């Protein structure tokens, strides 16, 4: 999930240069891939946003992401990546076309992973025939295994195609295949850049001692620099990892919301598609006053409902999901299952029911 803010980046000159070189090469027909790695909040999604926003004119952008609560759904992320290219499905040979339909749960049968990989490659190559393609895959550490395999298969075979692929993944567990691709580790901002970012946040004024302590604790992590001041007072340097402290801060902000807005956030956290149509339909089933609840939720800055519902950060999404009482979570999944169209998303409906 990309960050909702479109603030301009502080620092990151080298990373941006590397990404732009990759994209420009793809424009000349020399495809390539880069995997951004780094801890939560370090700025991987922000870099993806940036490269999407600044890609040379003429590029087609395709965005997909792994999803924390969807890792069990085979080919979910590959599906996201292929949807914008599905217009080219008819140009594929029948066996390839069928293998994709099976993989995406639109036809019966057991998918053959190798054939699915080849078919997806054909599909994207066909899509890139007219205009070069930039494929961005965020939160790759949450990819379902089938998609991870198919996407690394693709990534290794685009050298002669006008296709650039950029992945972002937390550097926790190694992800099979992804680790063998060219990588770039995103590290903390320099002290000067961290200070600059902190100074940009006008909402909170910090005295010098507090600021210095915050800078020391954040170790250049932009999310920590942005979120920890909002959490109010500072605990003494705690052993808990920065991610869990940021998650606590998101939880605290959520707790201040009116009940309907909180329920809407829980619903959004349980829906990996981010499709607002589905979300509103499910919300009405739960008797949520959609316009008031969505306005309050957006005003909190935790989520934006545009063409896609987007949490400001995956930690905000997991905070919403994990803070919900189990009954609330079940009710959310039930409402989403009922609102999901069984004709086009049978698997997904079954998954919400499970
Ligand atoms: N260089 C930067 N300058 C300004 N803001 C930044 C920068 N990098 C990241 N941010 C902001 O910091 C926050 C966290 O960044 P981001 O969401 O990109 O982290 P991430 O590495 O993708 O984390 P995760 O692994 O949890 O997805 C976002 O609000 C983002 O806009
Ligand atoms: Mg991210």
């Amino acid at each position: 999930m990309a960050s909702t803010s479109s603030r301009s980046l502080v620092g990151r000159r080298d990373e941006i240069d590397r990404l732009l070189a990759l994209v420009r090469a793809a424009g000349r027909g020399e495809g390539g891939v880069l995997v951004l790695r780094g801890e939560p909040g370090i700025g991987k999604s922000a870099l993806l946003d940036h490269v999407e926003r600044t890609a040379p004119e003429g590029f087609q952008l395709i965005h997909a992401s792994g999803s924390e609560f969807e890792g069990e759904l085979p080919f979910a992320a590959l599906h996201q990546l292929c949807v914008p290219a599905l217009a080219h499905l008819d140009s594929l040979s029948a066996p390839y076309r069928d293998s994709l339909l099976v993989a995406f749960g639109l036809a019966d049968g057991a998918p053959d992973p190798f054939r699915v990989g080849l078919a997806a490659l054909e599909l994207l190559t066909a899509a890139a025939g007219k205009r070069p393609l930039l494929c961005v895959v965020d939160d790759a550490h949450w990819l379902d295994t089938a998609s991870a395999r198919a996407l690394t298969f693709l990534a290794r075979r685009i050298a002669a195609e006008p296709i650039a692929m950029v992945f972002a993944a937390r550097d926790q567990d190694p992800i099979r295949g992804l680790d063998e691709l060219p990588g770039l580790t995103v590290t903390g901002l320099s002290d000067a850049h961290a200070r600059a970012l902190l100074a940009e946040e006008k909402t909170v004024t910090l005295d010098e001692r507090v600021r210095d302590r915050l800078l020391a604790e954040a170790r250049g992590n932009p999310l920590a620099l942005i979120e920890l001041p909002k959490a109010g007072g500072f605990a003494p340097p705690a052993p808990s990892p920065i991610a869990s402290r940021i998650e606590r801060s998101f939880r605290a902000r959520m707790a201040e919301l009116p009940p309907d807005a909180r329920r809407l956030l829980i619903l959004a956290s349980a829906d990996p598609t981010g499709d607002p149509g589905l979300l509103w339909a499910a919300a009405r089933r739960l008797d949520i006053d959609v316009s008031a609840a969505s306005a309050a939720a957006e005003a909190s800055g935790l989520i934006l409902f545009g063409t896609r519902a987007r949490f400001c950060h995956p930690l905000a999404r997991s905070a919403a999901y994990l803070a919900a009482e189990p009954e609330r979570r079940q009710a959310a999944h039930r409402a989403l299952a009922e609102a999901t169209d069984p004709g086009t998303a049978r698997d997904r409906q079954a998954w919400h029911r499970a």
Side-chain angles (χ1 to χ4, degrees), residues 1-12 37-49 138-139 141-142 168-171 186 189 193 197 200-201 220-227 243 312-315:
M1 201 172 301
S3 93
T4 48
S5 82
S6 53
R7 71 176 85 232
S8 59
L9 292 185
V10 173
R12 302 300 189 213
R37 305 294 304 243
E39 66 180 34
I42 202 69
K44 303 175 296 296
S45 298
L47 280 164
L48 296 183
D49 268 3
D138 202 359
D139 294 327
H141 47 279
W142 285 325
R170 291 186 183 161
D171 53 3
V186 183
L189 297 174
H193 286 139
L197 182 55
E200 268 181 22
E201 293 295 306
N221 182 306
L223 186 67
L225 291 164
I226 295 167
E227 291 300 328
C312 65
H313 189 268
L315 288 172

Side-chain angles (χ1 to χ4, degrees), residues 21-353:
L22 177 85
V23 173
R24 290 210 188 95
R28 299 189 300 267
E30 298 160 25
V33 56
L34 192 63
V35 182
L36 304 179
R37 305 294 304 243
E39 66 180 34
I42 202 69
K44 303 175 296 296
S45 298
L47 280 164
L48 296 183
D49 268 3
H50 182 86
V51 68
E52 286 180 295
R53 274 187 283 120
T54 57
E57 213 169 313
F59 262 82
Q60 309 174 65
L61 305 178
I62 304 192
H63 188 102
S65 61
S67 164
E68 185 171 9
F69 309 111
E70 201 183 31
E72 307 283 297
L73 202 59
F75 296 114
L78 185 71
H79 183 229
Q80 291 175 46
L81 202 71
C82 288
V83 163
L86 283 183
H88 298 273
L89 204 56
D90 287 338
S91 68
L92 302 191
S93 65
Y96 280 180
R97 192 168 57 231
D98 293 348
S99 69
L100 285 182
L101 292 176
V102 168
F104 300 153
L106 300 170
D108 291 322
D112 165 1
F114 183 65
R115 190 175 278 175
V116 172
L118 282 172
L121 179 63
E122 288 268 302
L123 188 74
L124 292 186
T125 311
K130 288 220 167 77
R131 293 194 291 146
L133 205 58
L134 170 59
C135 301
V136 164
V137 183
D138 202 359
D139 294 327
H141 47 279
W142 285 325
L143 285 176
D144 61 276
T145 315
S147 292
R149 285 220 189 101
L151 292 173
T152 47
F153 178 93
L154 274 172
R156 285 199 293 263
R157 284 166 181 78
I158 53 175
E161 309 292 343
I163 302 178
M165 290 182 88
V166 187
F167 292 85
R170 291 186 183 161
D171 53 3
Q172 38 196 29
D173 315 319
I175 305 160
R176 258 215 339 203
L178 225 55
D179 290 316
E180 290 142 38
L181 301 173
L184 175 65
T185 300
V186 183
T187 55
L189 297 174
S190 69
D191 186 59
H193 286 139
R195 281 175 193 279
L197 182 55
L198 206 52
E200 268 181 22
E201 293 295 306
K202 300 250 162 32
T203 43
V204 211
T205 33
L206 302 170
D207 77 43
E208 211 165 312
R209 269 182 36 228
V210 172
R211 188 171 56 230
D212 286 347
R213 187 159 87 211
L214 178 67
L215 283 162
E217 283 181 36
R219 296 182 333 297
N221 182 306
L223 186 67
L225 291 164
I226 295 167
E227 291 300 328
L228 292 183
K230 289 185 196 156
F234 296 91
S240 67
I242 209 126
S244 66
R245 293 175 55 202
I246 294 167
E247 196 168 327
R248 270 206 300 279
S249 136
F250 283 137
R251 271 189 209 213
R253 276 160 67 190
M254 209 160 56
E256 287 168 7
L257 289 175
D260 265 11
R262 245 178 6 236
R263 291 165 69 214
L264 186 64
L265 282 175
I266 294 167
L267 201 57
S269 75
D271 170 33
T273 68
D275 170 8
L278 174 65
L279 194 59
W280 306 147
R284 280 190 291 269
R285 277 169 196 273
L286 295 175
D287 291 323
I288 293 174
D289 175 348
V290 170
S291 66
S294 60
E298 277 200 331
S300 74
L302 291 167
I303 196 165
L304 264 186
F305 303 105
T307 49
R308 202 151 55 98
R310 292 169 118 202
F311 279 90
C312 65
H313 189 268
L315 288 172
R317 183 178 179 204
S318 51
Y321 193 76
L322 299 174
E325 299 87 355
E327 311 85 70
R328 280 272 163 86
R329 220 181 289 160
Q330 276 159 17
H333 280 296
R334 214 174 313 120
L336 287 164
E338 284 165 11
T340 297
D341 177 359
T344 56
R346 249 184 305 163
D347 281 7
R348 200 175 291 283
Q349 195 185 43
W351 177 77
H352 278 303
R353 291 231 155 89

